[in-house]
Amino acid sequence: MVFIWGRAPKTYIHCLEILQNRAIKTLLYCHHLTATKTIYELSNILPLSTLSKYHAAIFMYNVLHDSIESNLVLEFSGSFHYHNTRNKINIFISQSK
């Protein structure tokens, strides 16, 4: 579910992160001026923006290693040319099944 709404505009994610910060501070009985980095380290919770990237990375790993079924056909950009460019190791979707 995080993967779906994680692509929302940054302004919406920011508003949700503010609520998340308040909730974690309340649960941990922290002062409202406690640094957010500290509360995330104490609680072992990822911020929503990071959580979205984490789930996207897990999804891509599973697709690349055929751990899940997907309609995506992923290829590395190095598979269609051998020029030494900075985008050589990028992954792209060549087609969907």
Side-chain angles (χ1 to χ4, degrees):
M1 190 68 149
V2 173
F3 188 62
I4 295 170
W5 56 259
R7 306 285 32 151
K10 290 181 182 180
T11 53
Y12 296 153
I13 299 296
H14 180 70
C15 292
L16 289 172
E17 281 185 340
I18 290 172
L19 293 174
Q20 182 186 25
N21 295 343
R22 287 182 188 167
I24 295 171
K25 286 178 184 180
T26 302
L27 290 172
L28 295 177
Y29 301 105
C30 293
H31 191 267
H32 71 279
L33 295 177
T34 306
T36 54
K37 182 178 178 182
T38 304
I39 63 167
Y40 284 116
E41 288 172 356
L42 288 173
S43 64
N44 262 350
I45 296 174
L46 293 174
L48 291 177
S49 58
T50 307
L51 190 62
S52 172
K53 293 173 188 173
Y54 174 74
H55 282 284
I58 289 174
F59 175 76
M60 290 300 295
Y61 177 86
N62 288 333
V63 169
L64 284 171
H65 291 88
D66 295 323
S67 300
I68 60 172
E69 282 197 33
S70 174
N71 290 335
L72 300 176
V73 176
L74 302 175
E75 294 181 21
F76 290 95
S77 60
S79 62
F80 65 88
H81 72 76
Y82 298 101
H83 308 296
N84 191 15
T85 63
R86 63 180 156 195
N87 296 324
K88 186 176 181 179
I89 60 170
N90 288 352
I91 299 172
F92 70 96
I93 300 171
S94 63
Q95 63 184 0
S96 61
K97 296 178 185 175

mmCIF file with all atom_site columns, all heavy atoms in Angstrom, residues 50-73:
data_model
loop_
_atom_site.group_PDB
_atom_site.id
_atom_site.type_symbol
_atom_site.label_atom_id
_atom_site.label_alt_id
_atom_site.label_comp_id
_atom_site.label_asym_id
_atom_site.label_entity_id
_atom_site.label_seq_id
_atom_site.pdbx_PDB_ins_code
_atom_site.Cartn_x
_atom_site.Cartn_y
_atom_site.Cartn_z
_atom_site.occupancy
_atom_site.B_iso_or_equiv
_atom_site.pdbx_formal_charge
_atom_site.auth_seq_id
_atom_site.auth_comp_id
_atom_site.auth_asym_id
_atom_site.auth_atom_id
_atom_site.pdbx_PDB_model_num
ATOM 1   N N   . THR A 1 50 ? 10.963 7.815   3.018   1.00 0.00 ? 50 THR A N   1
ATOM 2   C CA  . THR A 1 50 ? 11.973 6.764   2.955   1.00 0.00 ? 50 THR A CA  1
ATOM 3   C C   . THR A 1 50 ? 11.321 5.397   2.856   1.00 0.00 ? 50 THR A C   1
ATOM 4   O O   . THR A 1 50 ? 11.813 4.508   2.153   1.00 0.00 ? 50 THR A O   1
ATOM 5   C CB  . THR A 1 50 ? 12.880 6.829   4.195   1.00 0.00 ? 50 THR A CB  1
ATOM 6   O OG1 . THR A 1 50 ? 13.386 8.151   4.325   1.00 0.00 ? 50 THR A OG1 1
ATOM 7   C CG2 . THR A 1 50 ? 14.043 5.862   4.085   1.00 0.00 ? 50 THR A CG2 1
ATOM 8   N N   . LEU A 1 51 ? 10.206 5.221   3.546   1.00 0.00 ? 51 LEU A N   1
ATOM 9   C CA  . LEU A 1 51 ? 9.485  3.954   3.512   1.00 0.00 ? 51 LEU A CA  1
ATOM 10  C C   . LEU A 1 51 ? 9.005  3.630   2.101   1.00 0.00 ? 51 LEU A C   1
ATOM 11  O O   . LEU A 1 51 ? 9.068  2.487   1.658   1.00 0.00 ? 51 LEU A O   1
ATOM 12  C CB  . LEU A 1 51 ? 8.300  4.016   4.478   1.00 0.00 ? 51 LEU A CB  1
ATOM 13  C CG  . LEU A 1 51 ? 7.566  2.739   4.775   1.00 0.00 ? 51 LEU A CG  1
ATOM 14  C CD1 . LEU A 1 51 ? 8.494  1.734   5.440   1.00 0.00 ? 51 LEU A CD1 1
ATOM 15  C CD2 . LEU A 1 51 ? 6.376  3.023   5.671   1.00 0.00 ? 51 LEU A CD2 1
ATOM 16  N N   . SER A 1 52 ? 8.565  4.643   1.377   1.00 0.00 ? 52 SER A N   1
ATOM 17  C CA  . SER A 1 52 ? 8.125  4.455   -0.004  1.00 0.00 ? 52 SER A CA  1
ATOM 18  C C   . SER A 1 52 ? 9.283  3.986   -0.884  1.00 0.00 ? 52 SER A C   1
ATOM 19  O O   . SER A 1 52 ? 9.137  3.062   -1.689  1.00 0.00 ? 52 SER A O   1
ATOM 20  C CB  . SER A 1 52 ? 7.558  5.761   -0.545  1.00 0.00 ? 52 SER A CB  1
ATOM 21  O OG  . SER A 1 52 ? 7.302  5.664   -1.911  1.00 0.00 ? 52 SER A OG  1
ATOM 22  N N   . LYS A 1 53 ? 10.443 4.612   -0.715  1.00 0.00 ? 53 LYS A N   1
ATOM 23  C CA  . LYS A 1 53 ? 11.625 4.223   -1.496  1.00 0.00 ? 53 LYS A CA  1
ATOM 24  C C   . LYS A 1 53 ? 12.072 2.811   -1.124  1.00 0.00 ? 53 LYS A C   1
ATOM 25  O O   . LYS A 1 53 ? 12.494 2.038   -1.989  1.00 0.00 ? 53 LYS A O   1
ATOM 26  C CB  . LYS A 1 53 ? 12.764 5.212   -1.254  1.00 0.00 ? 53 LYS A CB  1
ATOM 27  C CG  . LYS A 1 53 ? 12.486 6.592   -1.798  1.00 0.00 ? 53 LYS A CG  1
ATOM 28  C CD  . LYS A 1 53 ? 13.561 7.558   -1.396  1.00 0.00 ? 53 LYS A CD  1
ATOM 29  C CE  . LYS A 1 53 ? 13.165 8.979   -1.788  1.00 0.00 ? 53 LYS A CE  1
ATOM 30  N NZ  . LYS A 1 53 ? 14.109 9.967   -1.271  1.00 0.00 ? 53 LYS A NZ  1
ATOM 31  N N   . TYR A 1 54 ? 11.972 2.471   0.151   1.00 0.00 ? 54 TYR A N   1
ATOM 32  C CA  . TYR A 1 54 ? 12.343 1.143   0.623   1.00 0.00 ? 54 TYR A CA  1
ATOM 33  C C   . TYR A 1 54 ? 11.469 0.071   -0.022  1.00 0.00 ? 54 TYR A C   1
ATOM 34  O O   . TYR A 1 54 ? 11.970 -0.935  -0.522  1.00 0.00 ? 54 TYR A O   1
ATOM 35  C CB  . TYR A 1 54 ? 12.218 1.103   2.145   1.00 0.00 ? 54 TYR A CB  1
ATOM 36  C CG  . TYR A 1 54 ? 12.429 -0.252  2.767   1.00 0.00 ? 54 TYR A CG  1
ATOM 37  C CD1 . TYR A 1 54 ? 13.695 -0.795  2.869   1.00 0.00 ? 54 TYR A CD1 1
ATOM 38  C CD2 . TYR A 1 54 ? 11.354 -0.974  3.258   1.00 0.00 ? 54 TYR A CD2 1
ATOM 39  C CE1 . TYR A 1 54 ? 13.894 -2.040  3.452   1.00 0.00 ? 54 TYR A CE1 1
ATOM 40  C CE2 . TYR A 1 54 ? 11.536 -2.218  3.834   1.00 0.00 ? 54 TYR A CE2 1
ATOM 41  C CZ  . TYR A 1 54 ? 12.804 -2.741  3.933   1.00 0.00 ? 54 TYR A CZ  1
ATOM 42  O OH  . TYR A 1 54 ? 12.983 -3.970  4.498   1.00 0.00 ? 54 TYR A OH  1
ATOM 43  N N   . HIS A 1 55 ? 10.154 0.295   -0.052  1.00 0.00 ? 55 HIS A N   1
ATOM 44  C CA  . HIS A 1 55 ? 9.245  -0.682  -0.653  1.00 0.00 ? 55 HIS A CA  1
ATOM 45  C C   . HIS A 1 55 ? 9.431  -0.771  -2.168  1.00 0.00 ? 55 HIS A C   1
ATOM 46  O O   . HIS A 1 55 ? 9.305  -1.854  -2.748  1.00 0.00 ? 55 HIS A O   1
ATOM 47  C CB  . HIS A 1 55 ? 7.793  -0.361  -0.302  1.00 0.00 ? 55 HIS A CB  1
ATOM 48  C CG  . HIS A 1 55 ? 7.422  -0.783  1.075   1.00 0.00 ? 55 HIS A CG  1
ATOM 49  N ND1 . HIS A 1 55 ? 7.176  -2.093  1.417   1.00 0.00 ? 55 HIS A ND1 1
ATOM 50  C CD2 . HIS A 1 55 ? 7.281  -0.081  2.211   1.00 0.00 ? 55 HIS A CD2 1
ATOM 51  C CE1 . HIS A 1 55 ? 6.898  -2.164  2.693   1.00 0.00 ? 55 HIS A CE1 1
ATOM 52  N NE2 . HIS A 1 55 ? 6.952  -0.959  3.211   1.00 0.00 ? 55 HIS A NE2 1
ATOM 53  N N   . ALA A 1 56 ? 9.735  0.355   -2.811  1.00 0.00 ? 56 ALA A N   1
ATOM 54  C CA  . ALA A 1 56 ? 10.012 0.332   -4.253  1.00 0.00 ? 56 ALA A CA  1
ATOM 55  C C   . ALA A 1 56 ? 11.272 -0.475  -4.542  1.00 0.00 ? 56 ALA A C   1
ATOM 56  O O   . ALA A 1 56 ? 11.321 -1.249  -5.504  1.00 0.00 ? 56 ALA A O   1
ATOM 57  C CB  . ALA A 1 56 ? 10.158 1.753   -4.784  1.00 0.00 ? 56 ALA A CB  1
ATOM 58  N N   . ALA A 1 57 ? 12.292 -0.324  -3.687  1.00 0.00 ? 57 ALA A N   1
ATOM 59  C CA  . ALA A 1 57 ? 13.532 -1.080  -3.867  1.00 0.00 ? 57 ALA A CA  1
ATOM 60  C C   . ALA A 1 57 ? 13.298 -2.580  -3.671  1.00 0.00 ? 57 ALA A C   1
ATOM 61  O O   . ALA A 1 57 ? 13.817 -3.399  -4.429  1.00 0.00 ? 57 ALA A O   1
ATOM 62  C CB  . ALA A 1 57 ? 14.597 -0.580  -2.892  1.00 0.00 ? 57 ALA A CB  1
ATOM 63  N N   . ILE A 1 58 ? 12.501 -2.942  -2.678  1.00 0.00 ? 58 ILE A N   1
ATOM 64  C CA  . ILE A 1 58 ? 12.183 -4.357  -2.453  1.00 0.00 ? 58 ILE A CA  1
ATOM 65  C C   . ILE A 1 58 ? 11.414 -4.918  -3.648  1.00 0.00 ? 58 ILE A C   1
ATOM 66  O O   . ILE A 1 58 ? 11.689 -6.025  -4.109  1.00 0.00 ? 58 ILE A O   1
ATOM 67  C CB  . ILE A 1 58 ? 11.370 -4.535  -1.146  1.00 0.00 ? 58 ILE A CB  1
ATOM 68  C CG1 . ILE A 1 58 ? 12.264 -4.281  0.055   1.00 0.00 ? 58 ILE A CG1 1
ATOM 69  C CG2 . ILE A 1 58 ? 10.756 -5.933  -1.064  1.00 0.00 ? 58 ILE A CG2 1
ATOM 70  C CD1 . ILE A 1 58 ? 11.536 -4.290  1.367   1.00 0.00 ? 58 ILE A CD1 1
ATOM 71  N N   . PHE A 1 59 ? 10.472 -4.153  -4.175  1.00 0.00 ? 59 PHE A N   1
ATOM 72  C CA  . PHE A 1 59 ? 9.702  -4.591  -5.335  1.00 0.00 ? 59 PHE A CA  1
ATOM 73  C C   . PHE A 1 59 ? 10.619 -4.823  -6.533  1.00 0.00 ? 59 PHE A C   1
ATOM 74  O O   . PHE A 1 59 ? 10.537 -5.853  -7.202  1.00 0.00 ? 59 PHE A O   1
ATOM 75  C CB  . PHE A 1 59 ? 8.619  -3.565  -5.677  1.00 0.00 ? 59 PHE A CB  1
ATOM 76  C CG  . PHE A 1 59 ? 7.868  -3.885  -6.921  1.00 0.00 ? 59 PHE A CG  1
ATOM 77  C CD1 . PHE A 1 59 ? 6.902  -4.873  -6.928  1.00 0.00 ? 59 PHE A CD1 1
ATOM 78  C CD2 . PHE A 1 59 ? 8.126  -3.205  -8.101  1.00 0.00 ? 59 PHE A CD2 1
ATOM 79  C CE1 . PHE A 1 59 ? 6.204  -5.186  -8.077  1.00 0.00 ? 59 PHE A CE1 1
ATOM 80  C CE2 . PHE A 1 59 ? 7.433  -3.508  -9.266  1.00 0.00 ? 59 PHE A CE2 1
ATOM 81  C CZ  . PHE A 1 59 ? 6.477  -4.501  -9.250  1.00 0.00 ? 59 PHE A CZ  1
ATOM 82  N N   . MET A 1 60 ? 11.516 -3.873  -6.802  1.00 0.00 ? 60 MET A N   1
ATOM 83  C CA  . MET A 1 60 ? 12.424 -4.007  -7.936  1.00 0.00 ? 60 MET A CA  1
ATOM 84  C C   . MET A 1 60 ? 13.358 -5.199  -7.748  1.00 0.00 ? 60 MET A C   1
ATOM 85  O O   . MET A 1 60 ? 13.627 -5.937  -8.699  1.00 0.00 ? 60 MET A O   1
ATOM 86  C CB  . MET A 1 60 ? 13.246 -2.730  -8.115  1.00 0.00 ? 60 MET A CB  1
ATOM 87  C CG  . MET A 1 60 ? 12.425 -1.561  -8.598  1.00 0.00 ? 60 MET A CG  1
ATOM 88  S SD  . MET A 1 60 ? 11.651 -1.862  -10.183 1.00 0.00 ? 60 MET A SD  1
ATOM 89  C CE  . MET A 1 60 ? 13.055 -1.991  -11.247 1.00 0.00 ? 60 MET A CE  1
ATOM 90  N N   . TYR A 1 61 ? 13.835 -5.420  -6.536  1.00 0.00 ? 61 TYR A N   1
ATOM 91  C CA  . TYR A 1 61 ? 14.685 -6.574  -6.262  1.00 0.00 ? 61 TYR A CA  1
ATOM 92  C C   . TYR A 1 61 ? 13.933 -7.866  -6.569  1.00 0.00 ? 61 TYR A C   1
ATOM 93  O O   . TYR A 1 61 ? 14.465 -8.773  -7.215  1.00 0.00 ? 61 TYR A O   1
ATOM 94  C CB  . TYR A 1 61 ? 15.151 -6.553  -4.806  1.00 0.00 ? 61 TYR A CB  1
ATOM 95  C CG  . TYR A 1 61 ? 15.973 -7.765  -4.427  1.00 0.00 ? 61 TYR A CG  1
ATOM 96  C CD1 . TYR A 1 61 ? 17.345 -7.780  -4.658  1.00 0.00 ? 61 TYR A CD1 1
ATOM 97  C CD2 . TYR A 1 61 ? 15.381 -8.891  -3.862  1.00 0.00 ? 61 TYR A CD2 1
ATOM 98  C CE1 . TYR A 1 61 ? 18.102 -8.887  -4.325  1.00 0.00 ? 61 TYR A CE1 1
ATOM 99  C CE2 . TYR A 1 61 ? 16.129 -10.009 -3.532  1.00 0.00 ? 61 TYR A CE2 1
ATOM 100 C CZ  . TYR A 1 61 ? 17.485 -10.002 -3.765  1.00 0.00 ? 61 TYR A CZ  1
ATOM 101 O OH  . TYR A 1 61 ? 18.229 -11.102 -3.449  1.00 0.00 ? 61 TYR A OH  1
ATOM 102 N N   . ASN A 1 62 ? 12.689 -7.946  -6.096  1.00 0.00 ? 62 ASN A N   1
ATOM 103 C CA  . ASN A 1 62 ? 11.896 -9.156  -6.323  1.00 0.00 ? 62 ASN A CA  1
ATOM 104 C C   . ASN A 1 62 ? 11.592 -9.380  -7.802  1.00 0.00 ? 62 ASN A C   1
ATOM 105 O O   . ASN A 1 62 ? 11.597 -10.510 -8.275  1.00 0.00 ? 62 ASN A O   1
ATOM 106 C CB  . ASN A 1 62 ? 10.600 -9.098  -5.520  1.00 0.00 ? 62 ASN A CB  1
ATOM 107 C CG  . ASN A 1 62 ? 10.843 -9.292  -4.042  1.00 0.00 ? 62 ASN A CG  1
ATOM 108 O OD1 . ASN A 1 62 ? 11.811 -9.934  -3.642  1.00 0.00 ? 62 ASN A OD1 1
ATOM 109 N ND2 . ASN A 1 62 ? 9.976  -8.732  -3.220  1.00 0.00 ? 62 ASN A ND2 1
ATOM 110 N N   . VAL A 1 63 ? 11.358 -8.309  -8.538  1.00 0.00 ? 63 VAL A N   1
ATOM 111 C CA  . VAL A 1 63 ? 11.105 -8.442  -9.972  1.00 0.00 ? 63 VAL A CA  1
ATOM 112 C C   . VAL A 1 63 ? 12.377 -8.895  -10.690 1.00 0.00 ? 63 VAL A C   1
ATOM 113 O O   . VAL A 1 63 ? 12.345 -9.793  -11.532 1.00 0.00 ? 63 VAL A O   1
ATOM 114 C CB  . VAL A 1 63 ? 10.589 -7.115  -10.569 1.00 0.00 ? 63 VAL A CB  1
ATOM 115 C CG1 . VAL A 1 63 ? 10.585 -7.147  -12.084 1.00 0.00 ? 63 VAL A CG1 1
ATOM 116 C CG2 . VAL A 1 63 ? 9.186  -6.814  -10.059 1.00 0.00 ? 63 VAL A CG2 1
ATOM 117 N N   . LEU A 1 64 ? 13.512 -8.290  -10.345 1.00 0.00 ? 64 LEU A N   1
ATOM 118 C CA  . LEU A 1 64 ? 14.777 -8.643  -10.996 1.00 0.00 ? 64 LEU A CA  1
ATOM 119 C C   . LEU A 1 64 ? 15.203 -10.074 -10.698 1.00 0.00 ? 64 LEU A C   1
ATOM 120 O O   . LEU A 1 64 ? 15.845 -10.719 -11.524 1.00 0.00 ? 64 LEU A O   1
ATOM 121 C CB  . LEU A 1 64 ? 15.891 -7.683  -10.567 1.00 0.00 ? 64 LEU A CB  1
ATOM 122 C CG  . LEU A 1 64 ? 15.844 -6.303  -11.201 1.00 0.00 ? 64 LEU A CG  1
ATOM 123 C CD1 . LEU A 1 64 ? 16.859 -5.387  -10.545 1.00 0.00 ? 64 LEU A CD1 1
ATOM 124 C CD2 . LEU A 1 64 ? 16.105 -6.391  -12.693 1.00 0.00 ? 64 LEU A CD2 1
ATOM 125 N N   . HIS A 1 65 ? 14.852 -10.586 -9.537  1.00 0.00 ? 65 HIS A N   1
ATOM 126 C CA  . HIS A 1 65 ? 15.258 -11.936 -9.148  1.00 0.00 ? 65 HIS A CA  1
ATOM 127 C C   . HIS A 1 65 ? 14.121 -12.942 -9.299  1.00 0.00 ? 65 HIS A C   1
ATOM 128 O O   . HIS A 1 65 ? 14.188 -14.041 -8.756  1.00 0.00 ? 65 HIS A O   1
ATOM 129 C CB  . HIS A 1 65 ? 15.792 -11.931 -7.715  1.00 0.00 ? 65 HIS A CB  1
ATOM 130 C CG  . HIS A 1 65 ? 17.091 -11.207 -7.598  1.00 0.00 ? 65 HIS A CG  1
ATOM 131 N ND1 . HIS A 1 65 ? 17.165 -9.851  -7.365  1.00 0.00 ? 65 HIS A ND1 1
ATOM 132 C CD2 . HIS A 1 65 ? 18.364 -11.636 -7.722  1.00 0.00 ? 65 HIS A CD2 1
ATOM 133 C CE1 . HIS A 1 65 ? 18.422 -9.487  -7.327  1.00 0.00 ? 65 HIS A CE1 1
ATOM 134 N NE2 . HIS A 1 65 ? 19.179 -10.548 -7.545  1.00 0.00 ? 65 HIS A NE2 1
ATOM 135 N N   . ASP A 1 66 ? 13.079 -12.566 -10.023 1.00 0.00 ? 66 ASP A N   1
ATOM 136 C CA  . ASP A 1 66 ? 11.933 -13.438 -10.308 1.00 0.00 ? 66 ASP A CA  1
ATOM 137 C C   . ASP A 1 66 ? 11.314 -14.046 -9.054  1.00 0.00 ? 66 ASP A C   1
ATOM 138 O O   . ASP A 1 66 ? 10.843 -15.180 -9.060  1.00 0.00 ? 66 ASP A O   1
ATOM 139 C CB  . ASP A 1 66 ? 12.323 -14.558 -11.287 1.00 0.00 ? 66 ASP A CB  1
ATOM 140 C CG  . ASP A 1 66 ? 12.706 -14.013 -12.650 1.00 0.00 ? 66 ASP A CG  1
ATOM 141 O OD1 . ASP A 1 66 ? 12.065 -13.026 -13.078 1.00 0.00 ? 66 ASP A OD1 1
ATOM 142 O OD2 . ASP A 1 66 ? 13.627 -14.555 -13.269 1.00 0.00 ? 66 ASP A OD2 1
ATOM 143 N N   . SER A 1 67 ? 11.309 -13.295 -7.967  1.00 0.00 ? 67 SER A N   1
ATOM 144 C CA  . SER A 1 67 ? 10.695 -13.761 -6.731  1.00 0.00 ? 67 SER A CA  1
ATOM 145 C C   . SER A 1 67 ? 9.183  -13.583 -6.750  1.00 0.00 ? 67 SER A C   1
ATOM 146 O O   . SER A 1 67 ? 8.470  -14.239 -6.003  1.00 0.00 ? 67 SER A O   1
ATOM 147 C CB  . SER A 1 67 ? 11.269 -13.008 -5.534  1.00 0.00 ? 67 SER A CB  1
ATOM 148 O OG  . SER A 1 67 ? 12.655 -13.229 -5.453  1.00 0.00 ? 67 SER A OG  1
ATOM 149 N N   . ILE A 1 68 ? 8.712  -12.663 -7.576  1.00 0.00 ? 68 ILE A N   1
ATOM 150 C CA  . ILE A 1 68 ? 7.276  -12.433 -7.714  1.00 0.00 ? 68 ILE A CA  1
ATOM 151 C C   . ILE A 1 68 ? 6.931  -12.376 -9.198  1.00 0.00 ? 68 ILE A C   1
ATOM 152 O O   . ILE A 1 68 ? 7.791  -12.100 -10.028 1.00 0.00 ? 68 ILE A O   1
ATOM 153 C CB  . ILE A 1 68 ? 6.828  -11.119 -7.028  1.00 0.00 ? 68 ILE A CB  1
ATOM 154 C CG1 . ILE A 1 68 ? 7.537  -9.903  -7.632  1.00 0.00 ? 68 ILE A CG1 1
ATOM 155 C CG2 . ILE A 1 68 ? 7.025  -11.174 -5.535  1.00 0.00 ? 68 ILE A CG2 1
ATOM 156 C CD1 . ILE A 1 68 ? 7.018  -8.580  -7.139  1.00 0.00 ? 68 ILE A CD1 1
ATOM 157 N N   . GLU A 1 69 ? 5.669  -12.629 -9.494  1.00 0.00 ? 69 GLU A N   1
ATOM 158 C CA  . GLU A 1 69 ? 5.225  -12.508 -10.880 1.00 0.00 ? 69 GLU A CA  1
ATOM 159 C C   . GLU A 1 69 ? 4.949  -11.042 -11.189 1.00 0.00 ? 69 GLU A C   1
ATOM 160 O O   . GLU A 1 69 ? 4.368  -10.327 -10.381 1.00 0.00 ? 69 GLU A O   1
ATOM 161 C CB  . GLU A 1 69 ? 3.968  -13.336 -11.114 1.00 0.00 ? 69 GLU A CB  1
ATOM 162 C CG  . GLU A 1 69 ? 4.253  -14.796 -11.260 1.00 0.00 ? 69 GLU A CG  1
ATOM 163 C CD  . GLU A 1 69 ? 3.082  -15.533 -11.883 1.00 0.00 ? 69 GLU A CD  1
ATOM 164 O OE1 . GLU A 1 69 ? 2.383  -14.948 -12.730 1.00 0.00 ? 69 GLU A OE1 1
ATOM 165 O OE2 . GLU A 1 69 ? 2.887  -16.684 -11.498 1.00 0.00 ? 69 GLU A OE2 1
ATOM 166 N N   . SER A 1 70 ? 5.375  -10.618 -12.351 1.00 0.00 ? 70 SER A N   1
ATOM 167 C CA  . SER A 1 70 ? 5.177  -9.239  -12.764 1.00 0.00 ? 70 SER A CA  1
ATOM 168 C C   . SER A 1 70 ? 5.021  -9.188  -14.272 1.00 0.00 ? 70 SER A C   1
ATOM 169 O O   . SER A 1 70 ? 5.545  -10.033 -14.997 1.00 0.00 ? 70 SER A O   1
ATOM 170 C CB  . SER A 1 70 ? 6.377  -8.396  -12.334 1.00 0.00 ? 70 SER A CB  1
ATOM 171 O OG  . SER A 1 70 ? 6.253  -7.099  -12.836 1.00 0.00 ? 70 SER A OG  1
ATOM 172 N N   . ASN A 1 71 ? 4.314  -8.181  -14.738 1.00 0.00 ? 71 ASN A N   1
ATOM 173 C CA  . ASN A 1 71 ? 4.147  -7.965  -16.173 1.00 0.00 ? 71 ASN A CA  1
ATOM 174 C C   . ASN A 1 71 ? 5.288  -7.134  -16.752 1.00 0.00 ? 71 ASN A C   1
ATOM 175 O O   . ASN A 1 71 ? 5.298  -6.845  -17.937 1.00 0.00 ? 71 ASN A O   1
ATOM 176 C CB  . ASN A 1 71 ? 2.823  -7.276  -16.461 1.00 0.00 ? 71 ASN A CB  1
ATOM 177 C CG  . ASN A 1 71 ? 1.650  -8.179  -16.199 1.00 0.00 ? 71 ASN A CG  1
ATOM 178 O OD1 . ASN A 1 71 ? 1.780  -9.396  -16.259 1.00 0.00 ? 71 ASN A OD1 1
ATOM 179 N ND2 . ASN A 1 71 ? 0.510  -7.598  -15.885 1.00 0.00 ? 71 ASN A ND2 1
ATOM 180 N N   . LEU A 1 72 ? 6.232  -6.746  -15.924 1.00 0.00 ? 72 LEU A N   1
ATOM 181 C CA  . LEU A 1 72 ? 7.332  -5.908  -16.374 1.00 0.00 ? 72 LEU A CA  1
ATOM 182 C C   . LEU A 1 72 ? 8.474  -6.745  -16.918 1.00 0.00 ? 72 LEU A C   1
ATOM 183 O O   . LEU A 1 72 ? 8.822  -7.782  -16.372 1.00 0.00 ? 72 LEU A O   1
ATOM 184 C CB  . LEU A 1 72 ? 7.856  -5.061  -15.214 1.00 0.00 ? 72 LEU A CB  1
ATOM 185 C CG  . LEU A 1 72 ? 6.872  -4.107  -14.558 1.00 0.00 ? 72 LEU A CG  1
ATOM 186 C CD1 . LEU A 1 72 ? 7.539  -3.426  -13.376 1.00 0.00 ? 72 LEU A CD1 1
ATOM 187 C CD2 . LEU A 1 72 ? 6.367  -3.086  -15.543 1.00 0.00 ? 72 LEU A CD2 1
ATOM 188 N N   . VAL A 1 73 ? 9.048  -6.280  -18.011 1.00 0.00 ? 73 VAL A N   1
ATOM 189 C CA  . VAL A 1 73 ? 10.274 -6.877  -18.547 1.00 0.00 ? 73 VAL A CA  1
ATOM 190 C C   . VAL A 1 73 ? 11.347 -5.819  -18.373 1.00 0.00 ? 73 VAL A C   1
ATOM 191 O O   . VAL A 1 73 ? 11.335 -4.786  -19.029 1.00 0.00 ? 73 VAL A O   1
ATOM 192 C CB  . VAL A 1 73 ? 10.120 -7.254  -20.040 1.00 0.00 ? 73 VAL A CB  1
ATOM 193 C CG1 . VAL A 1 73 ? 11.432 -7.784  -20.576 1.00 0.00 ? 73 VAL A CG1 1
ATOM 194 C CG2 . VAL A 1 73 ? 9.000  -8.253  -20.221 1.00 0.00 ? 73 VAL A CG2 1
#
